[in-house]
Amino acid sequence: MVPDSNPACHRPAKDVSRKGSLRQTAEVNPALSMELSTNVTFLLFAVLFLLVIFLVYTQLVSGQENWTKYGVKQVTMSKQALIDFSKAVKEIITNHGDTVGVTRGGMFLITRDTELLKNIMGKDFNSFADRIEFMTTVSPMEHGLFFINGQDWKRIRQVMSPSFSTGKLKSVVWNIEDTAKKLASVIEECARKGQLVPIKHFTSQYTSEVIARSAFGLKTDCLGKEDDEFTHFTKVMFKVRSKAMNVVMLIMFRFKWLHRLLVKTFKIGILDQVSLEADHYFNKLLMQVVQERQKCELHGKDKPTDFLQYLVSAKVAGETQVEERPATPVVFKRLKLQRTLSERELIGQSMLIIFAGFETTATTLQFCLYLLAKHQDIQEKVYHEIQRVVTSDSPTYEELMELKYLEQVLSETLRLYPPIPLVNRMARETKHYGNIVIPKGAGILIPLDLVMKDPRNFEDPERFDPDRFSDENVHQIDPIQFTPFGYGPRKCIGMRLAYLELKVGLVHVLRRVKFELNARTEPTPDRDVSTSFQGILVVDKPIQLSVVCRHVQMK
C-alpha cells in the first residue's frame, strides 16, 4: 500500500499537483470544444422543442397505462419534481400513502413499505436486480458497478468484493491515518487563528487524499491548500446543473434512446452526465498507472497491494490461461478465456470508487461534525470514549472496532442524512404481492430517507439520538429500516471502508479540537441546515463551524 514502495510500478503516478495543467487538460481535449458549438446548441434546442411537442402528445392524446388496474393508487407528481425530485417524492408519500404509482415517460412505483421492499431488494432480488438505466455518457464511468446491470454486474461485483475484505482494510489503516493527522492539524490551526472551518472543503480534501493514496498509490498533498488536480477533477466529475438544465435532463430521461443518440453518436457534451474534462484527466492518469501495473504483473515484479492493483491482477489473470492439455504429445494449446475485467471496465470501476469514496464519505463526515457541534453532550461522550479506548497516538484496527459509541453516532448521522437518499430498481418480470402487481418493465423508486425517518420505524425520527443503535436497542431495528448503504445483494460494497475512514478521521480530529455553533457559524445555533437533492444530498449553504483547541497531551 506504500505509494512509493516500488518506483517501477508507480512511475506514471507522480505528484498530482496542479502546476497549471488544468488549462492544458482542456486545451488538449478537442471534445470539450463541442459544448460551445453554435451548431450543436441550435440542434439541441431544436430537438428539445420536438421532445416537448411529443411529450404533450403522449400525455394528452395517446394516454398512458394507469397504475389503478395493478392495485396501486395513481398520482401525479408536482412541479416540485423539476426542482428537487427527492422532495417531490416526499410530498407524494406524505399526501397519498406508502405505495403509489406515477407515469412519467414510463411506469414507476414509489414505495417506502418495508415489507414490500424486503421482497424487491432481498427475497426476490433476481426479479429486481437491475437498476433503471440513467447513466448516459461516453466515459468509462458507465461501466461502474453502481450503474451496470445483468451478468456484467454479477461478474464485476465478484471481482471487486475481495478488495474490501477485513485483511485488505487493515492494510490501509495507516495510510488513512497519515491523512487524518493532516486534517486534524489543519483544523487545529483554524482554532488557533479563531477562523471558522469550511467543513465540506476540508472533508472533501481529506477523503480525496485518502482515496488517491490508499486505493491508487498516488501522491497528493492538498489538505489546507489549493485543491490539487486529482481533488479538483473529483469534485467536478459529475456536473452540477442549473434548474433549466435539470428540466432538460428530466425530459432526456424519458427518451433514453434519443439521449444516447445525442451523447454517444453526435457527442453533444452538454448532455453528457460526466464532465468531459474530468473524464479526460482520469482516463489519461489511470491508463498510465494501469499500463505500468500490468507490466509489473506480467514480469513478476513486486507490486503494490492497493485497490487498483487487485483489479489489475484480476484483469491480467482473466485474459489468458494456459491449459496443459496437449493437442499432440509435445504441443500445448493456449486458450483465450473471457476477460474477467476489460480495460474500459477497470477504468470505470476506478473512476466510480474515486467519486463514491470521495463524495459520500466527505458528506457524511460533514454532517457528523455539524451534529456533534449542535449536541455538545454527545460530542463529549465521543471524546471520552476515544480517550479511553485509543491507548496511543495511532489507533489500531482493533481499537477502531471497539469505538462502539462513535459508530452509533455515525449510524445515526447516516440515518438523518443519507448521502444517497433515493435509489431505484427495475422489474425483470411481473410480480404479485397481495393486491399489488408490479408489471415487467416498471421502475421502482425507493426513498431510503423516508424509510429511515418513518415514525413507525424510529420514534421521534427527526431527533439525533445515537442510543438508537446501542447494543440494547439495535436488535429492535429491522435491517430494512436502516438502509443508508442499501439493502440486499446490491448493498454498497464499500460500507466498511467508509466507516473505517470516518472513524480514523474523527479520532484524530476530536482529540485535538472541539466543534461549536455560535452567532458566526453557518448555521447559527437557532437554525438547522437546509439540504436538497442533486443525485446526492447537498447543503444549500456551506456549513462553517467554530473550533477550539482541547490542549490535551496525546497518549
Side-chain angles (χ1 to χ4, degrees):
M1 189 63 62
V2 183
D4 54 355
S5 59
N6 184 358
C9 290
H10 293 276
R11 194 174 301 114
K14 296 181 180 179
D15 187 353
V16 290
S17 60
R18 295 170 76 94
K19 296 181 180 178
S21 59
L22 294 183
R23 182 175 61 253
Q24 295 171 8
T25 302
E27 290 173 351
V28 298
N29 186 2
L32 299 178
S33 62
M34 296 192 69
E35 292 189 1
L36 303 177
S37 169
T38 303
N39 292 334
V40 168
T41 303
F42 175 81
L43 173 63
L44 173 62
F45 281 101
V47 169
L48 291 179
F49 175 77
L50 294 175
L51 283 177
V52 171
I53 297 299
F54 183 72
L55 182 62
V56 172
Y57 173 80
T58 55
Q59 292 287 345
L60 301 180
V61 180
S62 64
Q64 291 190 0
E65 195 169 15
N66 195 293
W67 273 101
T68 304
K69 75 174 188 178
Y70 295 104
V72 178
K73 184 176 182 180
Q74 173 85 25
V75 300
T76 301
M77 299 199 80
S78 68
K79 295 180 180 179
Q80 176 71 32
L82 299 177
I83 303 171
D84 189 321
F85 190 79
S86 182
K87 289 180 180 177
V89 169
K90 180 179 180 180
E91 180 182 291
I92 284 178
I93 292 292
T94 301
N95 294 334
H96 299 285
D98 291 336
T99 303
V100 297
V102 297
T103 50
R104 294 176 60 88
M107 297 191 69
F108 297 93
L109 185 80
I110 304 175
T111 183
R112 70 168 175 181
D113 184 305
T114 53
E115 292 305 312
L116 189 56
L117 291 177
K118 283 181 183 179
N119 288 299
I120 293 170
M121 304 175 78
K123 180 182 177 182
D124 294 330
F125 172 77
N126 288 335
S127 299
F128 301 96
D130 291 345
R131 287 197 168 105
I132 299 170
E133 182 185 346
F134 64 92
M135 173 57 67
T136 302
T137 179
V138 297
S139 168
M141 178 68 85
E142 66 179 351
H143 296 292
L145 187 65
F146 187 85
F147 306 111
I148 57 175
N149 290 320
Q151 289 301 309
D152 286 337
W153 171 80
K154 184 176 181 180
R155 170 176 55 85
I156 293 178
R157 175 90 180 197
Q158 290 175 344
V159 171
M160 293 179 66
S161 292
S163 303
F164 298 93
S165 66
T166 299
K168 302 299 190 298
L169 293 178
K170 285 184 177 180
S171 70
V172 305
V173 171
W174 75 268
N175 217 333
I176 298 174
E177 183 184 318
D178 182 57
T179 305
K181 289 179 179 179
K182 292 168 63 177
L183 175 65
S185 295
V186 168
I187 294 178
E188 188 177 40
E189 184 65 19
C190 289
R192 291 197 181 100
K193 294 180 178 179
Q195 298 173 340
L196 294 180
V197 175
I199 294 298
K200 183 63 182 296
H201 177 64
F202 285 161
T203 62
S204 295
Q205 289 185 330
Y206 167 66
T207 57
S208 172
E209 188 165 314
V210 166
I211 289 297
R213 291 187 171 198
S214 62
F216 300 96
L218 300 171
K219 299 178 182 179
T220 65
D221 183 22
C222 68
L223 259 167
K225 308 172 186 178
E226 181 185 9
D227 286 346
D228 55 34
E229 280 190 319
F230 187 93
T231 302
H232 167 76
F233 284 116
T234 300
K235 287 181 177 181
V236 301
M237 189 180 294
F238 284 99
K239 297 174 181 176
V240 177
R241 302 184 184 277
S242 65
K243 292 181 180 179
M245 276 306 299
N246 279 336
V247 174
V248 171
M249 295 307 292
L250 280 173
I251 295 174
M252 283 293 157
F253 181 75
R254 297 194 185 193
F255 304 97
K256 293 299 295 182
W257 64 270
L258 186 54
H259 193 190
R260 286 192 293 269
L261 178 69
L262 295 174
V263 171
K264 291 181 173 292
T265 303
F266 292 102
K267 310 296 183 185
I268 300 180
I270 194 172
L271 296 178
D272 198 305
Q273 290 165 283
V274 176
S275 162
L276 296 182
E277 189 177 10
D279 177 65
H280 176 74
Y281 168 78
F282 283 116
N283 254 303
K284 182 178 179 181
L285 176 67
L286 292 170
M287 284 294 291
Q288 287 179 330
V289 182
V290 168
Q291 289 170 5
E292 193 64 32
R293 297 287 186 91
Q294 287 181 144
K295 292 178 182 178
C296 292
E297 184 83 21
L298 292 171
H299 292 90
K301 295 181 180 179
D302 291 338
K303 51 186 180 289
T305 56
D306 53 24
F307 171 82
L308 180 61
Q309 189 58 47
Y310 301 139
L311 295 184
V312 170
S313 297
K315 175 181 178 296
V316 171
E319 285 184 338
T320 58
Q321 177 177 313
V322 176
E323 180 178 314
E324 295 187 2
R325 185 182 63 194
T328 69
V330 294
V331 178
F332 292 84
K333 186 178 181 181
R334 178 175 292 272
L335 300 177
K336 188 75 174 179
L337 303 180
Q338 180 184 11
R339 290 189 175 191
T340 304
L341 209 62
S342 71
E343 193 161 71
R344 185 172 170 84
E345 287 173 338
L346 192 157
I347 299 299
Q349 308 320 309
S350 300
M351 290 179 67
L352 177 64
I353 201 65
I354 287 170
F355 178 79
F358 151 79
E359 181 59 46
T360 58
T361 309
T363 296
T364 301
L365 187 53
Q366 166 194 231
F367 283 119
C368 182
L369 292 174
Y370 158 69
L371 288 168
L372 291 177
K374 188 175 182 180
H375 301 274
Q376 289 292 310
D377 56 332
I378 294 175
Q379 184 175 182
E380 289 306 298
K381 190 171 180 179
V382 171
Y383 168 73
H384 288 299
E385 181 189 55
I386 292 172
Q387 289 297 97
R388 174 176 55 82
V389 172
V390 181
T391 58
S392 66
D393 184 50
S394 299
T396 64
Y397 181 85
E398 289 70 26
E399 287 175 336
L400 291 168
M401 296 304 103
E402 289 181 35
L403 295 172
K404 300 297 185 182
Y405 190 70
L406 177 56
E407 188 165 320
Q408 292 172 215
V409 168
L410 289 171
S411 295
E412 180 69 345
T413 299
L414 286 161
R415 185 188 69 82
L416 286 172
Y417 298 105
I420 302 178
L422 186 68
V423 297
N424 66 74
R425 295 290 188 271
M426 178 69 75
R428 289 179 173 177
E429 58 184 317
T430 299
K431 300 293 291 186
H432 296 251
Y433 300 105
N435 296 326
I436 293 177
V437 178
I438 303 177
K440 179 180 178 179
I444 299 94
L445 304 180
I446 306 167
L448 301 179
D449 55 340
L450 300 187
V451 173
M452 294 188 287
K453 290 186 179 180
D454 189 333
R456 293 166 296 186
N457 299 332
F458 294 96
E459 184 180 352
D460 192 8
E462 297 295 335
R463 178 167 55 91
F464 180 60
D465 181 12
D467 286 335
R468 300 180 200 272
F469 296 92
S470 66
D471 291 338
E472 296 77 20
N473 297 327
V474 72
H475 69 277
Q476 301 175 22
I477 302 174
D478 190 318
I480 194 64
Q481 297 171 348
F482 179 65
T483 54
F485 295 95
Y487 179 87
R490 286 201 81 142
K491 189 174 184 178
C492 176
I493 196 172
M495 179 183 71
R496 295 170 64 208
L497 176 60
Y499 270 105
L500 184 64
E501 192 175 340
L502 290 164
K503 280 187 175 182
V504 175
L506 288 167
V507 164
H508 284 283
V509 170
L510 293 178
R511 287 197 299 187
R512 295 170 67 170
V513 299
K514 179 167 64 173
F515 293 84
E516 298 178 343
L517 295 178
N518 55 41
R520 298 169 54 219
T521 61
E522 176 57 49
T524 52
D526 58 330
R527 295 187 295 112
D528 291 322
V529 293
S530 175
T531 63
S532 59
F533 176 69
Q534 296 181 16
I536 57 173
L537 190 67
V538 299
V539 293
D540 296 332
K541 291 184 179 180
I543 297 174
Q544 297 191 69
L545 301 178
S546 177
V547 283
V548 294
C549 294
R550 287 193 179 272
H551 299 295
V552 174
Q553 184 69 34
M554 294 293 102
K555 296 178 182 179

